Amino acid sequence: MKLIVTKKRAVIAVAVIALAVALVIVLAAVVPNVVSAVAPNGKTVVIDAGHGGADGGVVGATTGKKESDINLGVAKSLRHFLREAGYSVVMTREKDVDLATDGEDFKRSDMSARKKIIEDAAPDLMVSIHQNFYPLKSVHGAQVFYAATSEVSKGYAERMQEVLNATLDSDRAAKSGDYYVLTATSCPAMLVECGFLSNAKEERLLVTAEYQREVAYSIYTGINAVLFG
Ligand SMILES: [Zn+2]
């Protein structure tokens, strides 16, 4: 009888230890995620990586690299920095694809799909990422555009341009631009041309992941200045 009780106790002890071990394993798996989870900062940003898929955008004058790939590289880095800071981020595309569903009217179909993603997200800010090209090869630097119809967007774009001029090799002024992604959306919006693929020095930088990250960090700093500055 006593032996059975002892056996029972031993079984219970083993079960308790097994449970404790299981709990430690589960906690070890869960706790780091809880600790590293970033508190939401209450702001939503849509990042629109310009072009993609059948539409490569402009092409690097010496490297032949597509604008669409550079845009996506910058967009993904920017998403990383924003998420780390607690922003909610929506991307119009995450791969080398276009958003067109109507091959007959490709550009219109692609742009209206982007517009729908932006309008559905109703973000605090939409940033469309592009690369520039100009016949005069000496022209360089980051350039921010806004819709002339939005005073808020104009103020945001001017602040972003200040930050880009201060952090990149750039000395340009924000300009109004008649871009569909800016004029057709109702949220504050800007289009950032990160640099010129027609300028040899800037092209050499823009095709590298390191510089794409650097540009993304500058845009991230600009977004903080715009929404929290
Ligand atoms: Zn473009």
Side-chain angles (χ1 to χ4, degrees):
M1 199 56 182
K2 202 177 176 191
L3 192 67
I4 291 166
V5 170
T6 311
K7 260 191 182 169
K8 249 189 190 171
R9 277 191 184 154
V11 167
I12 289 167
V14 167
V16 166
I17 290 166
L19 253 174
V21 168
L23 192 66
V24 166
I25 290 168
V26 168
L27 279 178
V30 171
V31 167
N33 292 332
V34 171
V35 170
S36 68
V38 181
N41 70 6
K43 302 287 186 191
T44 299
V45 174
V46 172
I47 307 171
D48 172 48
H51 313 281
D55 170 20
V58 296
V59 174
T62 58
T63 61
K65 289 270 197 279
K66 290 188 294 180
E67 177 196 350
S68 54
D69 291 338
I70 298 169
N71 296 344
L72 189 58
V74 173
K76 284 183 169 175
S77 269
L78 178 58
R79 173 177 65 181
H80 168 78
F81 292 128
L82 289 171
R83 280 186 174 164
E84 289 277 294
Y87 286 90
S88 172
V89 180
V90 175
M91 307 273 281
T92 57
R93 69 178 177 97
E94 297 179 56
K95 292 181 191 155
D96 183 17
V97 291
D98 55 73
L99 280 72
T101 50
D102 177 6
E104 295 283 300
D105 199 350
F106 176 87
K107 196 68 186 169
R108 190 192 177 97
S109 175
D110 177 69
M111 292 312 292
S112 68
R114 287 173 205 256
K115 177 188 171 179
K116 183 169 185 339
I117 293 169
I118 296 163
E119 294 296 282
D120 285 352
D124 298 281
L125 178 65
M126 189 287 295
V127 180
S128 187
I129 308 286
H130 285 258
Q131 311 305 319
N132 228 331
F133 201 93
Y134 195 68
L136 193 61
K137 289 181 166 47
S138 58
V139 175
H140 71 281
Q143 173 76 59
V144 187
F145 289 97
Y146 57 88
T149 47
S150 170
E151 274 304 307
V152 174
S153 291
K154 180 174 190 259
Y156 282 7
E158 285 169 348
R159 188 78 188 93
M160 175 64 79
Q161 185 74 58
E162 279 173 20
V163 171
L164 298 184
N165 286 353
T167 53
L168 301 170
D169 180 19
S170 181
D171 185 21
R172 308 190 67 82
K175 283 186 196 163
S176 67
D178 190 20
Y179 295 102
Y180 179 86
V181 77
L182 298 179
T183 56
T185 46
S186 52
C187 61
M190 63 177 72
L191 187 147
V192 178
E193 303 265 15
C194 305
F196 285 78
L197 287 179
S198 42
N199 178 271
K201 188 181 164 201
E202 216 158 43
E203 180 191 0
R204 261 200 311 277
L205 288 169
L206 284 165
V207 298
T208 68
E210 291 80 7
Y211 190 70
Q212 288 170 16
R213 250 196 312 277
E214 197 177 320
V215 169
Y217 195 80
S218 288
I219 298 171
Y220 159 70
T221 306
I223 292 172
N224 283 336
V226 159
L227 296 180
F228 291 101

